[in-house]
Amino acid sequence: MKTLLVSDHDNKTLSEATAKALSCAVSLGGEVDVVIAGKGCRAVAEQAAQLSSVARVLLADADAYEHVLAEPFAALIVSLAAPYDAIVAPSTSSGRNILPRVAALLDVMQISDVSRVLAPDTFERPIYAGNVIETVRTTDKKKVITVRTTAFPRAAGGGTASIESIRAVADPGTSQFESEELHASARAELTSARIIISGGRALQSRENFTKYIDPIADKLGAAIGASRAAVDAGYAPNDWQVGQTGKIVAPDLYIAAGISGAIQHLAGIKDAKIIVAINKDPDAPIFQVADYGLVADLYTALPEMAAELAKSHA
Amino acid sequence: MKILVPVKRVVDANAHVRVKADGSGVDLSGVKMSINPFDEIAVEEATRLKEKGSAAEIVCVSIGPAEAAEVLRSAFAIGADRGQLVIGEGDLEPLAVAKILKAVIEKENPQLVILGKQAIDYDNDQTGQMLAGLLGWPQATFASNVTIEGDQVQVTREVDGGHQTVRLRLPAIITCDLRLNTPRFAALPSIMKAKKKPIEQKSVDSYGVDLKPRLQVLKLAEPPRRKAGIKVKSVTELLDKLRNEAGVI
């Protein structure tokens, strides 16, 4: 068994998601190589080399890979695929973009969003918005897998893998990067945050997110999320959405403020260690999954919480 | 320009899904079925492009049981012009679906194919990317904005942490994210007109494509449920529990 892990990074830092997908790749058994494709991304390769259980790091440093366009990136992975029994990537937006293209080019049926490895060919994955867990066994000789990273621990450090430079392959040249608008934030990233506070439609405006959610996030060092309803209403940016069609999260503490708890939202937070619900409706479904529920108006509860946290942090 | 939009018949987004007692599948008896919501967004986007004069014709394809004709009619009511119904029983995997769509596309020659990013039943998020790979076409997944400019299309994509804008040479594949548009509510005259639009029927076996499943479904089960915890009476009590009982802050 030999596995190729396709990494996710921003040309500077290897993502947490990659370190978690590595744990899934290792559980398949056998050697794991990691491919880093990007531009000016040697530092990322060095980070990958320090993860435990990595055999080799393959570094493809070229203009074509700077923005992770699917066409050149998939062509590169396919060119590397021959000696590997499995190709694995985290279910990040780039993994989900690239890996099915790789799978089709290799004539393999991809297994998406693997949440558990039962055997090297048998996996669990959530379907129907997380309402059902499917157990599948693949008959493909080569496996192509994306990983629901919240279901796996981060791989440990202490590794000393070798870094080998590999050549870029021809770019089909059918796509071109134009621009990027990333929400620069000093806050923790949702998918790797230890604490998350999310707001729902009850927040009523973007200003209220800033006024009521931000102070608590500041004090707890938390990432900020939102329900689909809040994003649909324009109270929060799209990439804050937590849920089956947004971000899947697994923090130690998830605080849901003014979120009723639609099934698709709950599917995105079910791996959270502790869920806190603050809602004035005592019958809100969120209370059925919350470890601690507070039936209260968030417009009084959140400022009170911010004040108490300020006291204890003073 | 011709736009092709594949549409899937799936369990309605509001329906409650139950696993059969023997774990062999999902119990669909009496459950409402609808057009996959992401595919509905794809049909709406194609219709808007046609209304703007960027496209001349919209062809929808559905692969599934005979009842999938209903989702083609839903697509017609939004604005699609004609449909192809590829009839086959049982669930086909995205790889097989992509192979059938490739065969359809080679006959229809659309310049643009717009799909939903995922179907809400199996949540695979694969078909569009696989189709692009098989055709050797460029792809823009998770689209939140689409603009046709001559023989190119500019697409803004939702990516982790923000947005990325790419330019693809046509022909190309686009998959829709949730907020690309809000599909219109079809008015009665559109629904009446939809009944008269033509549907061509074929069988899944008529494409000479290998449809054999690669994955064996061993079991379906409901996930372990989280249990409701306790209700606290005040913010003070809540913070005390988080500090001293759960130890998370």
Side-chain angles (χ1 to χ4, degrees):
Chain A
M1 185 83 188
K2 226 177 144 191
T3 299
L4 181 66
L5 174 65
V6 181
S7 70
D8 181 83
H9 61 83
D10 59 1
N11 291 310
K12 292 185 201 80
T13 313
L14 188 72
S15 72
E16 276 284 311
T18 307
K20 290 178 174 176
L22 174 60
S23 295
C24 175
V26 168
S27 67
L28 298 175
E31 265 186 14
V32 181
D33 291 350
V34 180
V35 58
I36 312 283
K39 190 188 174 192
C41 54
R42 177 139 200 119
V44 180
E46 281 160 8
Q47 293 158 30
Q50 287 165 18
L51 291 172
S52 68
S53 334
V54 173
R56 293 186 307 160
V57 175
L58 310 178
L59 173 62
D61 198 325
D63 290 348
Y65 307 129
E66 183 175 7
H67 301 291
V68 210
L69 295 177
E71 300 75 20
F73 213 101
L76 175 74
I77 305 304
V78 169
S79 77
L80 298 172
Y84 294 100
D85 304 294
I87 297 172
V88 174
S91 282
T92 54
S93 55
S94 51
R96 289 185 290 126
N97 185 33
I98 293 159
L99 229 60
R101 188 175 177 107
V102 170
L105 292 170
L106 297 171
D107 195 30
V108 171
M109 173 56 203
Q110 172 178 300
I111 306 149
S112 293
D113 258 333
V114 163
S115 55
R116 200 168 158 205
V117 178
L118 298 175
D121 64 351
T122 310
F123 308 93
E124 283 184 3
R125 56 179 298 265
I127 58 173
Y128 285 98
N131 284 306
V132 180
I133 304 296
E134 181 185 43
T135 305
V136 291
R137 179 189 291 148
T138 178
T139 58
D140 280 316
K141 266 180 125 171
K142 214 181 269 294
K143 298 161 196 70
V144 177
I145 295 166
T146 61
V147 181
R148 174 156 295 206
T149 52
T150 53
F152 293 88
R154 189 186 190 284
T160 51
S162 62
I163 300 175
E164 289 171 31
S165 285
I166 54 168
R167 286 238 296 262
V169 298
D171 178 0
T174 49
S175 59
Q176 205 184 312
F177 169 83
E178 290 222 317
S179 62
E180 195 165 58
E181 193 190 318
L182 299 179
H183 305 295
S185 170
R187 292 192 196 287
E189 219 260 311
L190 270 174
T191 52
S192 56
R194 209 180 61 77
I195 301 178
I196 295 172
I197 175 163
S198 283
R201 187 159 37 195
L203 264 297
Q204 293 176 318
S205 71
R206 191 173 283 234
E207 293 68 36
N208 281 345
F209 260 84
T210 310
K211 191 171 163 195
Y212 293 93
I213 301 286
D214 278 19
I216 295 171
D218 288 341
K219 304 229 165 49
L220 293 174
I224 299 181
S227 70
R228 177 175 165 182
V231 175
D232 279 344
Y235 307 159
N238 295 358
D239 65 317
W240 284 14
Q241 187 184 322
V242 171
Q244 179 75 1
T245 53
K247 298 269 165 64
I248 309 290
V249 300
D252 287 348
L253 171 61
Y254 186 86
I255 304 173
I259 292 178
S260 64
I263 285 170
Q264 85 92 27
H265 188 79
L266 301 183
I269 62 171
K270 68 179 192 48
D271 290 323
K273 209 160 99 193
I274 298 288
I275 295 176
V276 168
I278 302 172
N279 202 302
K280 66 177 177 191
D281 173 9
D283 298 322
I286 189 83
F287 286 120
Q288 290 164 22
V289 300
D291 299 281
Y292 301 108
L294 176 62
V295 179
D297 187 335
L298 64 90
Y299 292 105
T300 52
L302 293 183
E304 205 184 317
M305 194 167 175
E308 291 224 13
L309 287 168
K311 259 192 269 167
S312 58
H313 282 64
Chain B
M1 183 175 82
K2 190 195 281 185
I3 302 178
L4 189 114
V5 184
V7 291
K8 185 177 184 184
R9 178 176 180 264
V10 297
V11 168
D12 187 85
N14 297 313
H16 182 65
V17 174
R18 282 181 321 272
V19 175
K20 287 182 191 162
D22 64 359
S24 65
V26 166
D27 187 1
L28 294 180
S29 55
V31 175
K32 186 180 178 218
M33 306 293 281
S34 298
I35 182 170
N36 178 41
F38 289 103
D39 301 348
E40 192 177 22
I41 294 170
V43 177
E44 174 66 34
E45 193 63 20
T47 305
R48 291 184 189 190
L49 290 171
K50 189 181 167 188
E51 287 166 351
K52 267 190 245 169
S54 295
E57 190 186 24
I58 303 163
V59 182
C60 283
V61 185
S62 194
I63 305 171
E67 292 83 1
E70 294 156 21
V71 301
L72 287 173
R73 299 281 172 211
S74 308
F76 294 163
I78 295 170
D81 298 299
R82 62 185 170 86
Q84 286 200 24
L85 178 58
V86 182
I87 298 183
E89 291 302 323
D91 289 318
L92 287 179
E93 291 172 350
L95 184 62
V97 169
K99 287 177 179 178
I100 293 173
L101 291 175
K102 177 176 182 259
V104 171
I105 285 161
E106 281 165 352
K107 254 188 133 169
E108 287 281 349
N109 284 313
Q111 284 295 98
L112 187 62
V113 180
I114 311 180
L115 307 89
K117 74 165 178 179
Q118 71 194 71
I120 61 162
D121 47 7
Y122 286 91
D123 288 329
N124 277 305
D125 189 348
Q126 297 177 5
T127 305
Q129 298 90 312
M130 287 186 155
L131 181 60
L134 295 177
L135 289 163
W137 289 8
Q139 69 185 53
T141 49
F142 326 136
S144 63
N145 190 58
V146 175
T147 313
I148 309 273
E149 292 169 356
D151 62 351
Q152 298 186 331
V153 60
Q154 187 198 53
V155 183
T156 299
R157 308 177 51 230
E158 294 201 15
V159 296
D160 295 342
H163 293 95
Q164 180 192 57
T165 302
V166 294
R167 180 177 291 276
L168 310 180
R169 199 164 71 202
L170 296 173
I173 305 282
I174 293 172
T175 78
C176 303
D177 217 315
L178 204 55
R179 277 168 284 270
L180 176 58
N181 61 51
T182 306
R184 68 196 65 190
F185 192 77
L188 191 60
S190 311
I191 295 169
M192 297 311 286
K193 237 166 79 187
K195 291 186 177 163
K196 296 201 187 85
K197 291 184 181 173
I199 296 178
E200 185 192 348
Q201 284 197 18
K202 286 212 167 155
S203 145
V204 287
D205 303 316
S206 64
Y207 294 92
V209 166
D210 170 24
L211 304 173
K212 203 173 145 269
R214 308 292 184 83
L215 306 183
Q216 300 170 328
V217 178
L218 303 183
K219 191 178 79 172
L220 297 187
E222 283 176 22
R225 293 204 176 279
R226 282 187 85 104
K227 281 193 229 77
I230 58 159
K231 289 260 170 69
V232 291
K233 290 196 174 58
S234 67
V235 168
T236 313
E237 188 189 351
L238 174 62
L239 290 175
D240 175 63
K241 295 276 186 199
L242 292 178
R243 280 195 190 106
N244 303 317
E245 193 174 87
V248 288
I249 60 169

